[in-house]
Amino acid sequence: MLRVAVVGSGPSGVYAAKELVEQREVPGVRVDVLDRLPAPYGLVRYGVAPDHEKIKSLQGNLRGVLEDERIRFLGNVEVGGGALPTGRLLELYHAVVYCVGAARDRHLGIPGEELAGVHSATAFVNWYSAHPDAVGEDFGLAGVRSAVVIGAGNVAVDVTRILARGEAELRPTDMPQPALGALAGSGVREVAMVARRGPAQGKFTTKELRELGTLPGVAVALDPAELALDPAYADPAGATGLPAVNRRNVEVLRGWAEAPPAAAEAGPAGPAPERRIVLRFFLRPVELLAGPDGRVRAVRLEHTLPDGRGGVTGTGTYEEIDAELVLRSVGYQGVPLPGLPFDPARGTVPHAAGRVVRDGRASVGEYVAGWIKRGPTGVIGTNRPCAKETASSLLQDAPALAARDLPEDPLAALRAAGLHPVEWPGWLAIEEAEAALGHSLGRRSVKIPDWPGLLNAAGTG
């Protein structure tokens, strides 16, 4: 029997486990899926916006894999720490597949980034998604009138949308109660989403973009002159060379420029919009400005122009946008895992077809999949072929791997090391506790946002 540890229970980890147990070449593969958190599903639980029910429903697919009798979920197990170094893990399993994602957000690298009121979009997403590491975060929303989101990807669109939504739309979600209360009492009336390039280079999907134009009580504003700076926007015929998603994005924005959506207004007598989203393009942040209280008060931006090579060049003209809250959303980076080689320039673990490379040679028995393998690119489905390649490499190595004797059950060794794994019944108990919490609040299931609450619900607190 070949025993494999998969580190990480997000899509890449679950797909890797599925590939390993469902292949026919090597019979008897058993997989333990380890996760630092007591809850499975990774970014599907802690990264997908709570108002995106269809994407969150992917948890059902991942759940089906983790319920396979050949796969065991072990949460609350941190790999790489003092209790379980990577070398010890390899002593307990024939092979280890690391699917640990890219947890660190990129910085802007401009003056003022350390000011109060300046946060990563990742921190904001973790907070409203009930990530237990984010408990106690305070974004001061009651005192915020204007917010600026820097970025032009789906995460930037997500946080913009959540800031603009009303309580009535968020209450039916599984958003934790503290975040719901803070957003319900928010003073935010205007959210500017700022991109340094043009609409044709936006990294958001068309579905996410269109959603901004359908929010109740929210008006969308944009500047046609800024849009027209993009050659693909100014020349619709030339836009045919764009990827389909980018072309559709340009078409949506062109339609809005001609007839801006005003979702709250049913007609001339309709209610005025409660909030406004402003989409800005060809603006590069150069400084975050402080107010008298030491908090951020504005973003200073330089107007840019296309450079003809897909990038932009500065114009030397500037403007300021008021903001008591700034969220940066300019990408993710992988984080080194103690005991594994790491390429800091790429933010990934060096590999050859998924095999970890140490000192120029493939390390048989150690593998990677997902963002830590290829960088933070692609969508959830991209993890399938990525995991398949890694699983194929591992299975090719199986004869040599299986020759090594192992302890009978790694779980006993994990407990002996002082770890308290949350097994699948413990996760089901967390689900039941979250359903009960939601019922007590007059809502549907509501996420438990803190470590003690999760571990107590799982029975390991």
Side-chain angles (χ1 to χ4, degrees):
M1 181 176 70
L2 187 69
R3 185 169 287 282
V4 180
V6 170
V7 182
S9 66
S12 63
V14 174
Y15 293 150
K18 178 181 173 70
E19 289 289 338
L20 289 168
V21 300
E22 290 188 349
Q23 52 74 40
R24 298 180 179 179
E25 294 84 354
V26 180
V29 177
R30 295 293 183 270
V31 178
D32 283 351
V33 177
L34 315 180
D35 203 293
R36 184 177 73 88
L37 299 174
Y41 311 137
L43 283 179
V44 176
R45 175 174 166 91
Y46 290 116
V48 174
D51 59 341
H52 275 178
E53 292 292 338
K54 185 173 181 180
I55 302 177
K56 288 175 71 67
S57 68
L58 287 171
Q59 289 187 15
N61 296 338
L62 303 181
R63 181 192 197 97
V65 176
L66 293 175
E67 288 179 333
D68 189 303
E69 62 182 8
R70 297 165 294 183
I71 297 172
R72 178 170 58 178
F73 172 72
L74 298 176
N76 194 38
V77 175
E78 183 170 7
V79 175
L84 188 59
T86 53
R88 175 58 176 154
L89 191 62
L90 199 56
E91 294 173 357
L92 300 176
Y93 295 89
H94 291 113
V96 182
V97 184
Y98 294 94
C99 306
V100 291
R104 179 187 298 157
D105 64 282
R106 295 182 183 274
H107 284 68
L108 298 169
I110 61 176
E113 202 165 359
E114 77 290 346
L115 291 173
V118 180
H119 306 270
S120 71
T122 304
F124 193 67
V125 170
N126 285 345
W127 172 69
Y128 68 59
S129 297
H131 195 294
D133 289 346
V135 68
E137 286 277 10
D138 181 10
F139 294 89
L141 296 179
V144 175
R145 299 287 297 179
S146 300
V148 169
V149 178
I150 299 171
N154 276 343
V155 174
V157 174
D158 278 348
V159 298
T160 296
R161 187 183 66 255
I162 292 295
L163 282 169
R165 276 207 186 276
E167 180 188 11
E169 302 147 66
L170 295 174
R171 187 173 179 80
T173 72
D174 62 2
M175 180 179 286
Q177 192 68 18
L180 177 65
L183 287 163
S186 167
V188 174
R189 292 298 173 264
E190 181 165 302
V191 186
M193 194 176 85
V194 175
R196 65 183 179 87
R197 297 193 292 175
Q201 288 81 44
K203 298 297 185 182
F204 38 74
T205 58
T206 309
K207 179 181 180 296
E208 294 257 3
L209 177 64
R210 284 194 179 118
E211 208 170 353
L212 296 180
T214 64
L215 302 179
V218 180
V220 176
L222 33 71
D223 184 351
E226 283 182 355
L227 301 177
L229 295 174
D230 192 325
Y233 180 88
D235 179 15
T240 55
L242 289 174
V245 171
N246 302 73
R247 187 170 65 250
R248 289 193 294 267
N249 290 342
V250 169
E251 292 167 356
V252 169
L253 293 167
R254 183 180 289 109
W256 286 355
E258 295 169 356
E265 297 181 3
E274 300 169 7
R275 291 175 178 157
R276 191 168 80 128
I277 292 173
V278 184
L279 303 179
R280 301 294 307 273
F281 296 93
F282 292 111
L283 288 172
R284 177 166 57 199
V286 295
E287 187 177 4
L288 303 174
L289 305 175
D293 59 356
R295 289 182 59 87
V296 67
R297 67 165 178 83
V299 183
R300 189 167 189 255
L301 305 117
E302 181 183 18
H303 289 265
T304 62
L305 288 172
D307 64 4
R309 302 184 300 275
V312 292
T313 184
T315 64
T317 59
Y318 301 86
E319 73 168 275
E320 294 179 9
I321 299 179
D322 291 342
E324 296 89 15
L325 173 69
V326 175
L327 299 176
R328 64 176 183 268
S329 180
V330 290
Y332 296 91
Q333 292 177 307
V335 178
L337 187 68
L340 282 185
F342 188 73
D343 180 349
R346 296 175 57 87
T348 58
V349 170
H351 73 94
R355 295 180 179 90
V356 172
V357 172
R358 291 180 178 273
D359 301 321
R361 299 181 62 183
S363 176
V364 176
E366 296 180 296
Y367 306 84
V368 285
W371 278 3
I372 199 63
K373 171 187 175 184
R374 67 180 191 274
T377 61
V379 295
I380 290 175
T382 311
N383 290 294
R384 290 181 182 273
C386 175
K388 187 171 184 176
E389 179 191 55
T390 296
S392 177
S393 294
L394 190 157
L395 293 168
Q396 290 171 22
D397 301 337
L401 296 172
R404 187 161 54 90
D405 291 333
L406 296 178
E408 187 159 326
D409 186 354
L411 184 55
L414 297 179
R415 289 175 174 152
L419 297 170
H420 303 280
V422 172
E423 299 182 67
W424 194 250
W427 159 240
L428 296 181
I430 291 173
E431 283 192 315
E432 292 177 4
E434 291 183 337
L437 175 60
H439 180 75
S440 72
L441 296 169
R443 299 173 58 193
R444 295 192 294 178
S445 181
V446 171
K447 286 181 182 174
I448 297 171
D450 60 281
W451 278 99
L454 289 168
L455 295 177
N456 286 333
T460 60

